[in-house]
Amino acid sequence: MRSKKVGAGFEIAGLEGPVCPLLHCSPAGATVLLAACSGRLTRWDIESGRPTREFQVPENASTDTFALTALLLPDRQVRIAAGDEDGLHLWDGVSGRLLADAAGGDRIFQIAGGLTSDGRSLLVGTGVKGLHLWDPVTGAPLASPLEHVGDVVAVTLARLRGGSSLIVTGDYEGVRRWQGDLCESSFGAEIDAPHIDLLTTVYTADGRPLIVGVVEEGEVVRRWDAETGEEVGLPIPVEGEFVRTATATVSGRIRLFTADQDMVRQWDLLSGESLKQTFAGSYVSAVSLPDGSALLAAGTSGGSLTTHRLV
């Protein structure tokens, strides 16, 4: 393994296997970089590109890379969550201690975290058995897996401007919005979108929540208003069978980053305009910075990781 400065970022090469990065903010506002690679989960210093902590990883972890999610709890604890073929893995984001190992006993496709309408933290995950709900403090299940009308694949949480919260799920037929911690009632009409692979929520400058979805086996990214279900702009064409996404605000505009088999591309999220600058990578994470810039981390399938400052 070797690390070197490259412009305003750094490059780490010589890692084994695909590298999945995660950027998030600490309770103190500092930027934290984690990277999953070959069954290891490591924290890196974003200035020097040097490893600072190894997280405790379960021996039975069955995938080379985790799809990582970070959640800052109301009491300022940090949780890092990931899912694989065995279930949910949950870590204390500060100490790296493993808190839950293979919780749920199910193959987990996607995990999302957020707050309910009454301000409690929640982790949700999609699996073969249905929709899972976990306590993010301990990783304990809050209910048996919820049956879904379709084979639930993707999930995100959205907080509406009026204060209520939604659990948004995607399957091979469309996007569905649910109210209540246990999805007690549907919200609005089903959004027609074939074969949802990935969902996330983005908030505009005025607080409007947008649902962003990778649709039709990675062929396009579509955006919908979470409150009305109306589509925002035209579909954004992307490439690759397995497309991963990230978002961050740069100079007051929200950017969408899409990673396919070997390239990270940039888009203006609201207009759909393609930006020329690209980066090598199959995995991507991004975080907005207080000065109006953003930090991007791109991991490749060949064992390298780069960071880039975007202004």
Side-chain angles (χ1 to χ4, degrees), residues 28-188:
T31 302
V32 179
L33 172 63
L34 299 175
C37 179
S38 298
R40 300 173 62 184
L41 182 57
T42 308
R43 182 186 298 148
W44 300 84
D45 182 273
I46 62 169
E47 299 298 331
S48 67
R50 296 177 179 174
T52 60
R53 180 178 294 276
E54 288 285 340
F55 278 42
Q56 179 186 358
V57 175
E59 294 182 0
N60 62 344
S62 58
T63 55
D64 289 333
T65 59
F66 299 111
L68 301 170
T69 299
L71 179 61
L72 180 61
L73 304 183
D75 62 1
R76 299 177 69 79
Q77 293 187 73
V78 180
R79 291 292 182 265
I80 305 299
D84 67 5
E85 294 180 0
D86 296 322
L88 166 75
H89 305 290
L90 185 69
W91 292 269
D92 182 294
V94 176
S95 69
R97 183 166 60 94
L98 184 66
L99 302 175
D101 178 6
D106 191 9
R107 181 182 181 184
I108 302 300
F109 302 116
Q110 185 181 2
I111 293 176
L115 297 175
T116 62
S117 298
D118 60 4
R120 294 185 297 111
S121 298
L122 179 67
L123 275 177
V124 292
T126 59
V128 175
K129 297 178 181 178
L131 187 67
H132 295 259
L133 299 98
W134 297 287
D135 179 350
V137 176
T138 64
L142 298 175
S144 299
L146 304 179
E147 293 186 5
H148 199 263
V149 288
D151 293 329
V152 59
V153 175
V155 65
T156 187
L157 281 76
R159 195 169 185 87
L160 306 184
R161 285 179 289 188
S164 59
S165 59
L166 302 177
I167 296 175
V168 183
T169 60
D171 53 39
Y172 296 135
E173 299 176 3
V175 178
R176 308 167 198 269
R177 294 165 290 163
W178 309 91
Q179 290 180 305
D181 295 350
L182 299 179
C183 302
E184 289 90 347
S185 61
S186 61
F187 178 85

Side-chain angles (χ1 to χ4, degrees), residues 197-198 214-215 217-221 238-245 257-261 263 267 282 284:
D197 289 326
L198 186 68
V214 178
V215 185
E217 298 183 326
E219 295 178 6
V220 296
V221 172
V238 291
E239 300 179 11
E241 185 177 353
F242 300 102
V243 174
R244 300 160 182 88
T245 65
F257 305 94
T258 61
D260 51 43
Q261 295 179 350
M263 188 69 68
W267 316 80
S282 303
V284 64

